[in-house]
Structure formats: C-alpha cells, structure tokens
Amino acid sequence: MNPVILNRFSSIFMQSSKNIAVVGSGLVGSLLALYLQKAGHKVVVFDRRPDIRKVEFSGRSINLAMSNRGWKALREIGIEIEIKKIALPLDKRALHVSSQPLYFQPYGKKGEAIYSISRGVLNRKMIDLAEAEGVKFRFEEKVWDIDLANARLYTGESEKSEWKEYQYDLIFGADGAFSRVRHKMQRNSRFNYSQHFVDVGYKELTIDANPDGSHKLDNASFHIWPRGEFMLIAMPNLDGSFTCTLFLPFEGEVSFESLTTEAQADAFFETHFPDIKEEISNLKRDFFKNPTSSMVTIKCFPWTYWDKVALVGDSAHAIVPFYGQGMNAGFEDISVLFEKMKQHGDNWEQIFLEYQQERKPNADAIAELSCRNFLEMSSKTADPEFILRKKIEKRFGEKYPELWLPMYSRVTFSDKPYTEALAIGDWQRAVMDEVMEIPGIEEKWNSQKVEDKMLEIIKNNGST
Amino acid sequence: MNPVILNRFSSIFMQSSKNIAVVGSGLVGSLLALYLQKAGHKVVVFDRRPDIRKVEFSGRSINLAMSNRGWKALREIGIEIEIKKIALPLDKRALHVSSQPLYFQPYGKKGEAIYSISRGVLNRKMIDLAEAEGVKFRFEEKVWDIDLANARLYTGESEKSEWKEYQYDLIFGADGAFSRVRHKMQRNSRFNYSQHFVDVGYKELTIDANPDGSHKLDNASFHIWPRGEFMLIAMPNLDGSFTCTLFLPFEGEVSFESLTTEAQADAFFETHFPDIKEEISNLKRDFFKNPTSSMVTIKCFPWTYWDKVALVGDSAHAIVPFYGQGMNAGFEDISVLFEKMKQHGDNWEQIFLEYQQERKPNADAIAELSCRNFLEMSSKTADPEFILRKKIEKRFGEKYPELWLPMYSRVTFSDKPYTEALAIGDWQRAVMDEVMEIPGIEEKWNSQKVEDKMLEIIKNNGST
C-alpha cells in the first residue's frame, strides 16, 4: 500500500465505495483493478486461467511496446518508475532490408522512445501490485454467464456444471478479444459487433542471449526484416534475449501452410534472413514448438450496459498489433474512465456514457491505423522513397513543430486523440505526395527550396 | 409424393443418399429440406419453436415480396403453381405522398410483378409440402451445440439440461439471423463476422378487410407512405386485409420512444396519415399490441465447414427488408447449392466450396442494396426529381433493353447476379446524374434529344 497515493486519491474522489468485479486478470484488467481499489472500491478479479505468476508463458506473445499513453496511465497511479525497471527503451527502428546495409530510423525526437516489455513479465508485476493494494484475485474460476441488469456473475467448472452466483454493484469486462462479458451483451438486440481476421498469422520465436548475457543485436532498436508479404521483428528482453515475431500469410506460396518440414523451415530462414545466420538455429527450434496464432480486429457498440457493466481494452476494441498500440489504447481507456469518475462521482450511468462516447471513435481510428501499418512495416520500410519521405517529414517537423507532428509521433509520443492522428495523417500523406513530385527531390530533399514549397502547400491546404 | 418429379430428380442425381439435418423450419429451411428429400436424401428438420401450423402468428412479420429468384427456386422443385395460389401480384407502387394525389409507379414491364404473401401462410404451406414428401420435423427440440467436424447435433430442454446426441452425414444451418449453427462456427479462429443494427425499428399493423371481404385499398399495389425519416407500407393478403409495417426510428423526435401513450399514437397517425383516416383505428389498435422489432445486417465467412456443415439464408446473410429480397436471396442459395450438387455428385467439399464462393459476394451486394433502399423508399419516392428519373429510365429501358435494365428490375425480375446489379446500378446513377443536368429536363424528358444524349453518355461511359 502506498498511503501517499491513497491520500491523494481520497481527496479527489467523491464516490461511494462499491463492490466491483473485474473479469480478466490481463494487463488492462489488473491495472483497472488497481485504479478502482485505490479509489476506495472493493475489487475482485476473476480469471478462467491459472495465476500467470505460477505457470510458464504461452509461447504466443508479441513483446509489448509501451509508449506515451501507456506510461501516462501508469504515472497517474504512481507505478511508472516501478515498471520502467522492467522495460528497455527503443529509440529507433533497425531495418534489415534484403541485400542492404543495416539502416537505423529514429522514431521521434531525441529522448523519445518506445519501451520493449515482455507481456508475461509485465502481467506478473501488475498482478503483484494490484494484490499488494488489496485487490482479490480468483484464478481458475470461469465466468459462464452474466446477468447484466443486476450485475450478477455465474461461475463454475464448465458451462454445464453447477454454477456459483456472485452479486456486485458493477462489473467490468477486461476479458480480451473473446470476452465472455461482451458475448453476453452481444445477445441483446441492437448490439453492433464485428470480428475480422487478417490473412496473416504470427509465431513467437526467440533469439537467445550471448553466453555472457549480452544481446546479439542492438538492444536499443526495434528490429524489422521487411520482406513484403511477410516480415520478422525482434524486440529485446532484459535477460539478453530477443522475443521475435514472424508475421507470415496462413496460405499461399510463402506461408505457414507451406512450411511443414524442418528442411522447408531451414530453407525459408536461410533464404530470407541470411544476415542473422548465427541466430537462426534458435528461430528454427521454436518454429515447430510454438503455435501459430491469428490476429483479429474486433469492434462493437455499445460498450456499457446501464450503470452496471462496462467493457475495457481488447474486449471492447481488439486491434492488430502493427502499431504497437493494443495495450496502450487499453490503458488509455482506464485514464479516460478515471477522468469521468472524478467528474461524475456516483453517477455511473453518466461515467459509462461519456466513457464510451469518447473512446469509441478513437478505438475505431487506432484499429484502422493498425491495419494499415502492416503494409508500412513489411513493405514500405524497405522502400527508398518511403525512407526519404520519413526523413523530409522529420526534418520539417523538427523545424516547424507547430505545423507538423508526424503521425507516428502523434500516436506514440502524444496523448492527442487517435481520431486526429488518422485525419491529420491522411492530410499529411496528401501533402507529402505533392512534395515527392518535386523534380530531383532525392538530391535536394533537405534544401530551403523544398522547405519553402512545403510551407506553401500547407498554406494552401489548411494546416494541422 | 410426386413420382414424376422424383423420377426426374433421380435421373439427374448421382449422389449417394445421406442422413441430413436441417436446423430451422422457416422458409429457407423447409424449402431446402424438400429439395434434399426429393434428391434422395433422408432429411430431419429441427426447430426450437412449436409447429407454426399449430400456433398463432407472431405479430412481428413483414409480408413477403416473392420475386423472380424466389419463384425460380419453387419452379425447379415443382411447387410454383401451388404457391402462386396464396400470393397476390403487385405490379406497381402506390405512393401516398403527403398532400399529393395518389401516384402509381409501375415496377417493371407489363406482366412483371412482385407477389405479396403472408410469411406465416407460406411457411405453413412449405412445411406441409416438405412433410408430404417424407421430411421429418422435430418441433420444439432445441439445438444447443454442434460438433462441426463430426456433424453431430446436441439438443435438450435448456443449455444446462441433459442433452441428446444425433449423428448425421451433413448439417445445414437454416436457423436465421441468430443462428445457433453459425454461433458454433463463430467460435473457430479466423471466422469473420459482423452484425449491424439500423437505428430504425418496425412494427406490424393491420388494415382489416371491408365487411364484404374486399380490400380497403388497391390490392394490386405495394402501398408506401414515404415520410422521410420514417414510412408506412401496406401489402395485401388473400382475406382482404393488409399487413402494414411502420418503419420508425427507435429514438428521436418522431420515434417509437416518443410514442408511449394512446393520445400520442392517435396524434401521430392523424398528423402523418390523414388519407387513411378510416383505416386508422386498426393501426392504433395494433400499435400497442404488437412488439417493436429491430433489423440487422449480418455478414460472415466462411459459410461452410469441411464437407459437413453449411449455412443457408439468413444464418449466412441476414439483410434489412427494404429491397424485399431476404427470402428471395435465401431461396437462390438453394438453387445454387442444387446446381453444385448436380455438378459434383458426392464431392460435398467441392459443392460447399463453390457454393460459398459464388454466393458470398452476391449476399454482400444485396445487403448493401437493401440498406440503401430505405432512403429510396422513405424519402426519394416522395421526390419529384426521383420520380422523373424513374420515368426516363423506364422509357429508355423499354426502347433499348440491351443497353438499360433498371436496377430494380435486375434485382427483382432477373436472376443476374446481385453483384452486377450493384455495380451497374452505380454506373446508371452516374449516367442519370448527367441526364438530369440537361436544362429543362422536366419538360423534354421524353424527347428524342434526351434519348440521343443518353445514348451519347452511355457510349462515352462504357455500357452494361
């Protein structure tokens, strides 16, 4: 318990203490539980899975890229510093383009970085912190049904076994993309819902640490091997290893379906990733050990039911991982919810209404941006024209920060709404399309003339 | 049993007889059962509801508009003539525009009509016909789970009661928009799914017959009272009554939410439908008796599971009712499935693959057209410019049938793919936008000059 923070909270809050159930002990569920408990509520977290602190990790994780929105939510509750200890800052992309020298592309301004964190390590830490604050966890207790109007939960061994009934004042669904809480809401009339899978799957692979515990690749970079239809990425861990993710079509010429023997996998890695020959043996080892996972975009509305039930994180808006914003968007849900709690006290109906109104368009925007970013990462990062665009944008943005905040920075290093990033990003692309038409742009990209031309285009096109 | 038809079928079919379950005894389920039984299979139909022949109708039906695709499927199985006996042909819209004289707008060429049929009456008839052919019906037997890979069904009193297991060779899900069969498929990875509700609800109302059994309004017309944000429609029944449907926003100034007292309902009908004062008492009577229903567009993919399970009709592609194509599209699924059965014999995997490949884009197209048509019916039919467009199109289409088949006719009176109707409809609208720019078009719409201009635009724009 942290009495200083508790005091700060109790002075802000005018809420009566409620009995609250959070379904799901993942990142968003455990952070939400911590927030609610610190705000004076009594929180129980249900999870159908075992305590992640007592089991091996799944082998199906992509490392997390914590950025500004995520840190902000941790800072507000006083645990940013604690979590930074288990994170590694990455201030650039390391682009491993085929037959090209390694190229580093900074993410933002000096000092700006995204942070690589192992999902499992972070989740364990978050549960520890929530438990220390007084949150109760009920692991391996499966929620099968929810009486939405009365905030009642039903748990049991199986869907057909005897169920136990729990009564709460509020229930939060933080139970991920295949949320049971949302599933119940989905059966109501007029609940809009969509799940869309992409044709690309992913597999977790590992590059082990050197014998001395050091990293085999630069550990302050987000490594990408862009290969067009597919790509490999690698993010460093504290122990010297890298968690890699191979994104590859499920079906087709080069696909998971086409790689079924060790010989085929060998040939695949040797053909497409010759620059990491040394590390490749680990990749091959994991290839047949770890599962192939799918990726889905989930949209729904409404996110809340009266003043009783609300969805947060993936259960409300699962997105594909290509912008590194899934967890960040989920944590930002909590920041927004918390703002509304401060404004509206015990009026939970109003809190929930404003929460979903504010978050829904932003969730849709980051879903769209995340889908688009696969192409950027897997293809465009290997394209000299694209690299030139980024350099021009970066130079201009540093000189005229009030006129030009690159879209990636707006998403990653600011807390401006995702909807703005989407709209302004489209506008910026149109501007850059014009800039790239300037004859000889390859040579004079950093000239005064190009800069003046950009100022002129922006003047004629409206501004950010 | 009809031995002539059976003979015809057995000469065509090279399929081994299978044990087949159809889930859902609605229109599509019972027609599919009839087709499969006549093709030599042994068919059992499950339905969680009671036998519709033994209960009152729900009070939440919109009359059906059977058109070419529906008739074609009935003709192929030899029951078109039988069903025409319970249908009334409607060859025109009767437009009851506020403060305007009643206006009749023909649907197509002379002899072309859509057919009004009561959903309940047709469903009862279809079940009779299927039963006479040897199909077994298990009413009030609730399917709770399906083992897709093994074509096993589980039924029982409730989700938590003891279940009975059935083993089949094939299972068809014809269990409607909220299909249990699809629900099971939805839990598989990489199953794409969306449900989107419109903000407009509907309510069934009735205009009774005159005391002598005659109709109170013209009985060869589809009646529309277009009121912009909302509309009333009326379709005749054989007994002299009309089944009316009020489409009205759920919320807002004029909405179901705003009509909660008899006085409010009285004022609403008297203000907006003064031309049917005499009939209005019936409308008001039903208003508080019948439920308000919602409308949903459902899309999903895949529609089939190996060679074991397939979805047909609303379970695969529920659409809003504004083009009158829901049942017609479902019946066309059966026609296509039947074609594939003839081509591929016992290769059910191939049958299912080609069936879903051919039908999915067409289902998406009619979903889109149906959404758009609400605006056409509720607003545009009251717009003189829109009426003029239709007149010009009709005149031109009659003169140059190879150049111009109006979109409504392509959807309703042809069996050309819905995808073409959507694409060509967009092209036709662009052409008509140009035509309507001709100065003085209101006066010279039927002149040679306008005709020549249309020919010229078409020549420059490609053609149908």
Side-chain angles (χ1 to χ4, degrees), chain A residues 199 229 248-259, chain B residues 190:
Chain A
D199 293 331
E229 302 283 298
L248 186 67
F250 281 106
E251 289 99 17
E253 207 183 330
V254 183
S255 67
F256 282 114
E257 195 188 51
S258 75
L259 299 177
Chain B
R190 301 180 64 202

Side-chain angles (χ1 to χ4, degrees), chain B residues 444-460:
Chain B
K444 57 182 169 201
W445 66 274
N446 55 357
S447 68
Q448 186 60 41
K449 212 180 143 195
V450 168
E451 190 180 311
D452 291 345
K453 179 75 184 168
M454 274 187 85
L455 286 167
E456 188 196 318
I457 296 171
I458 290 171
K459 210 176 128 200
N460 296 335

Side-chain angles (χ1 to χ4, degrees), chain A residues 11 24 65 68 75 101 105 115 142 149 167 171 180 202 227 255 286 288 294 321 332 362 374 393 415 420 429 435 464:
Chain A
S11 73
N68 184 68
R75 193 180 313 130
Q105 190 181 54
Y115 287 76
K142 294 170 185 147
Q167 168 77 61
I171 296 174
R180 196 81 193 178
Y202 74 88
R227 295 293 180 267
S255 67
D286 295 346
F288 292 102
S294 58
E332 196 173 53
N362 285 300
F374 178 68
E393 280 195 64
D415 58 1
E420 283 181 20
R429 196 182 46 224
V435 171
T464 58

Side-chain angles (χ1 to χ4, degrees), chain A residues 63-82:
Chain A
N63 260 31
L64 299 162
M66 183 89 74
S67 57
N68 184 68
R69 295 165 209 268
W71 290 123
K72 185 181 164 194
L74 298 179
R75 193 180 313 130
E76 284 163 346
I77 200 84
I79 61 172
E80 181 189 21
I81 293 161
E82 188 87 17

Side-chain angles (χ1 to χ4, degrees), chain A residues 128-343:
Chain A
D128 279 345
L129 290 168
E131 209 168 51
E133 194 64 40
V135 172
K136 301 274 172 275
F137 283 84
R138 293 182 167 275
F139 294 106
E140 296 178 77
E141 184 158 355
K142 294 170 185 147
V143 173
W144 292 109
D145 199 9
I146 290 131
D147 175 345
L148 299 168
N150 296 300
R152 286 197 191 106
L153 276 184
Y154 298 87
T155 70
E157 248 329 286
S158 79
E159 201 150 5
K160 298 198 72 182
S161 68
E162 279 292 296
W163 287 350
K164 217 165 141 180
E165 181 185 303
Y166 294 89
Q167 168 77 61
Y168 290 96
D169 299 315
L170 297 164
I171 296 174
F172 286 91
D175 47 345
F178 299 98
S179 168
R180 196 81 193 178
V181 181
R182 186 194 65 231
H183 186 257
K184 184 69 183 183
M185 290 166 74
Q186 207 171 316
R187 311 215 119 206
N188 287 320
S189 191
R190 302 179 65 199
F191 186 81
N192 290 332
Y193 175 75
S194 73
Q195 59 183 48
H196 181 83
F197 288 84
V198 289
D199 293 331
V200 170
Y202 74 88
K203 197 182 278 284
E204 180 186 323
L205 304 169
T206 307
I207 294 176
D208 290 339
N210 287 316
D212 67 355
S214 62
H215 288 89
K216 284 188 172 157
L217 302 168
D218 181 72
N219 71 357
S221 294
F222 182 107
H223 294 266
I224 309 183
W225 291 259
R227 295 293 180 267
E229 302 283 298
F230 61 96
M231 68 171 168
L232 181 71
I233 64 168
M235 296 174 79
N237 297 312
L238 291 174
D239 65 3
S241 67
F242 279 85
T243 298
C244 307
T245 315
L246 176 66
F247 295 96
L248 186 67
F250 281 106
E251 289 99 17
E253 207 183 330
V254 183
S255 67
F256 282 114
E257 195 188 51
S258 75
L259 299 177
T260 54
T261 67
E262 293 228 0
Q264 285 168 333
D266 279 4
F268 170 74
F269 284 110
E270 277 160 29
T271 308
H272 297 292
F273 310 103
D275 64 319
I276 44 168
K277 264 218 154 121
E278 193 195 335
E279 298 80 6
I280 232 168
S281 59
N282 300 322
L283 298 182
K284 285 187 295 196
R285 176 196 63 197
D286 295 346
F287 191 83
F288 292 102
K289 197 185 74 184
N290 286 339
T292 304
S293 301
S294 58
M295 291 171 284
V296 66
T297 301
I298 286 176
K299 296 181 181 176
C300 69
F301 200 78
W303 291 3
T304 62
Y305 191 91
W306 301 353
D307 56 351
K308 296 296 184 195
V309 181
L311 304 174
V312 287
D314 283 2
S315 70
H317 52 78
I319 60 179
V320 293
F322 306 117
Y323 225 115
Q325 286 294 312
M327 171 193 61
N328 289 290
F331 282 11
E332 196 173 53
D333 288 349
I334 300 173
S335 294
V336 170
L337 199 55
F338 187 62
E339 278 305 309
K340 305 303 176 194
M341 284 162 63
K342 285 194 277 191
Q343 283 169 39

